[in-house]
């Protein structure tokens, strides 16, 4: 008889082949939420299959519809629809009423994408060069106006290349490429970076005519593994990425100061796009917060 290890309960449960995972957990007195009573009308009974996904039955039509709607990865299953043919290890992400409230809020906003899904994506950090003296020379209202125009144009470029802005950090921004579809996400991030520099050249004449000042940007791109999730409550919920790869992308952007460049990418990014781009200089250097030396490449254009 197959066994299911439920986490965080640390409970091993025997399951009959004809029973669903939900039925097995309820028989074992596990407090498994199931608001729609096993009809695949909600996602509160969902489980994350950490081991033994190959031992799970294929998704039913009802489960497939909900999974597609909420952008679940293959490891996220509805316990009320899933049967097993062998041992599996699962985690219950929805544990109590507070979890359920958060889940329902996110679902209403359509932000149930990637419930803790690991992905390899393109990560772009961008920062304004000389922002502080630029901002200090203008009235506050003008600074807000300039930044809004700047972010508007950068966002257009990022979305056009299949990315989305995840966060604004002062005058910097973090953009993610591949949160929905990882195809070509590395080259899309690089293309976006090049187009962002082009957009700045188009914005600067406006800034010069309005304020007699211009600014430039620095960009860093890394292609690495992160955990994608929707974070925050109903008013502040946003898609974001967690992991060392995000910090590394930030450090790559920062490295432009030392190398006197405007656009650097990591070796992992270069390996993924090397046949599609033109590079300038390459650098082997230490990165703040990391041990050893890392190879970085200056991007000049697309082949």
């Amino acid at each position: 008889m197959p066994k299911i290890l439920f986490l965080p309960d640390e409970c091993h449960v025997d399951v009959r082949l004809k029973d669903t995972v939900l039925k097995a957990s309820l028989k074992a007195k596990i407090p498994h939420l199931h608001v729609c009573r096993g009809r695949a009308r909600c996602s509160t009974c969902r489980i994350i299959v950490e081991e033994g996904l190959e031992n799970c039955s294929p998704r039913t039509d009802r489960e497939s519809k909900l999974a597609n709607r909420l952008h679940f990865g293959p490891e996220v299953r509805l316990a009320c629809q899933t049967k097993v043919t062998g041992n599996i290890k699962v985690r219950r992400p929805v544990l109590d009423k507070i979890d359920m409230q958060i889940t329902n809020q996110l679902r209403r906003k359509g932000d149930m994408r990637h419930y803790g899904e690991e992905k390899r994506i393109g990560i772009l950090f961008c920062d304004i060069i000389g922002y502080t003296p630029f901002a200090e020379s203008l009235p506050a209202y003008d600074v807000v106006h300039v930044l809004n125009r700047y972010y508007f144009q950068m966002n257009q470029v990022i979305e056009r290349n299949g990315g989305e802005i995840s966060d604004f950090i002062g005058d910097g921004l973090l953009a993610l490429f591949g949160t929905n579809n990882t195809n070509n996400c590395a080259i899309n991030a690089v293309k976006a970076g090049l187009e962002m520099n082009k957009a700045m050249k188009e914005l600067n004449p406006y800034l010069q005519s309005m304020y007699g000042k211009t600014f430039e940007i620095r960009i860093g791109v890394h292609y690495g593994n992160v955990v994608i999730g929707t974070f925050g409550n109903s008013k502040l919920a946003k898609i974001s990425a967690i992991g060392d790869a995000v910090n590394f992308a930030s450090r790559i952007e920062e490295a432009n100061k030392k190398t006197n460049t405007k656009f650097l990418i990591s070796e992992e990014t270069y390996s993924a796009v090397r046949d599609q781009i033109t590079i300038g200089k390459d650098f082997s250097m230490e990165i703040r917060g990391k041990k050893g030396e890392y190879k970085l490449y200056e991007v000049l254009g697309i082949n």
Side-chain angles (χ1 to χ4, degrees):
M1 182 178 291
K3 288 184 179 293
I4 304 174
L5 170 58
F6 284 95
L7 301 176
D9 314 272
E10 295 291 344
C11 180
H12 288 85
V13 176
D14 292 324
V15 55
R16 296 185 297 178
L17 295 178
K18 67 177 184 177
D19 287 345
T20 64
V21 173
L22 177 61
K23 189 171 183 179
S25 64
L26 294 178
K27 281 184 177 180
K29 307 298 183 183
I30 293 175
H32 201 143
L33 284 173
H34 55 293
V35 173
C36 73
R37 300 182 180 180
R39 295 176 293 176
R41 298 283 298 277
C42 74
S43 64
T44 54
C45 77
R46 70 184 177 278
I47 52 174
I48 299 172
V49 183
E50 296 190 352
E51 293 179 11
L53 184 60
E54 69 279 3
N55 295 328
C56 294
S57 62
R59 281 181 171 141
T60 63
D61 290 341
R62 286 189 292 179
E63 182 183 4
S64 292
K65 289 179 180 178
L66 191 63
N68 291 335
R69 177 183 166 194
L70 301 182
H71 303 280
F72 284 159
E75 74 284 359
V76 182
R77 300 296 304 269
L78 295 184
C80 69
Q81 302 293 302
T82 305
K83 298 179 181 180
V84 299
T85 58
N87 296 343
I88 63 171
K89 175 176 150 183
V90 305
R91 182 175 297 277
R92 297 186 300 116
V94 180
L95 301 177
D96 56 24
K97 290 183 178 180
I98 294 178
D99 282 345
M100 192 170 68
Q101 288 176 337
I102 295 171
T103 295
N104 289 336
Q105 288 174 349
L106 296 177
R107 187 169 63 241
R108 284 196 295 269
K109 286 177 63 68
D111 286 334
M112 288 300 299
R113 294 177 296 171
H114 316 300
Y115 197 93
E117 185 176 0
E118 293 185 39
K119 281 193 172 187
R120 190 168 179 81
I121 66 170
I123 308 153
L124 181 150
F125 258 94
C126 177
D127 199 20
I128 296 176
I129 302 173
Y131 168 75
T132 300
F134 179 90
E136 289 177 346
S137 67
L138 300 179
Y141 290 109
D142 291 271
V143 173
V144 172
H145 170 71
V146 169
L147 282 180
N148 280 335
R149 184 172 178 125
Y150 163 74
Y151 286 134
F152 175 80
Q153 293 188 232
M154 296 302 112
N155 186 59
Q156 285 188 317
V157 171
I158 289 165
E159 288 188 347
R160 188 162 58 241
N161 286 280
E164 57 186 314
I165 293 179
S166 171
D167 207 356
F168 296 105
I169 307 161
D171 58 302
L173 63 85
L174 165 64
L176 308 177
F177 297 78
T179 60
N180 285 314
N181 185 347
T182 56
N183 292 338
N184 303 314
C185 61
I187 190 62
N188 287 345
V190 174
K191 287 179 179 178
L194 290 168
E195 288 187 33
M196 289 167 71
N197 274 318
K198 182 180 177 182
M200 274 309 309
K201 292 179 180 178
E202 296 170 353
L203 175 61
N204 272 329
Y206 170 83
L207 299 178
Q208 182 66 43
S209 65
M210 287 285 290
Y211 306 108
K213 298 177 181 295
T214 62
F215 58 76
E216 295 180 300
I217 57 177
R218 285 187 298 260
I219 296 170
V221 169
H222 179 50
Y223 178 50
N225 295 319
V226 297
V227 175
I228 298 291
T230 303
F231 301 93
N233 60 34
S234 60
K235 294 182 179 179
L236 301 176
K238 63 179 181 179
I239 192 78
S240 192
I242 302 295
D244 182 63
V246 179
N247 297 326
F248 190 35
S250 174
R251 299 293 183 255
I252 294 170
E253 179 276 312
E254 190 179 81
N256 282 288
K257 298 177 185 178
K258 294 182 180 179
T259 58
N260 195 30
T261 53
K262 302 290 177 58
F263 189 1
L264 290 174
I265 62 174
S266 64
E267 188 166 14
E268 291 83 355
T269 310
Y270 177 67
S271 297
V273 304
R274 60 190 304 166
D275 296 330
Q276 304 175 66
I277 65 171
T278 302
I279 64 167
K281 299 176 182 178
D282 59 80
F283 308 89
S284 292
M285 58 189 299
E286 293 183 352
I287 298 294
R288 184 167 66 90
K290 298 182 73 67
K291 295 181 179 180
E293 290 194 341
Y294 293 83
K295 198 77 175 285
L296 303 179
Y297 298 83
E298 179 187 20
V299 179
L300 299 181
I302 296 292
N303 287 344

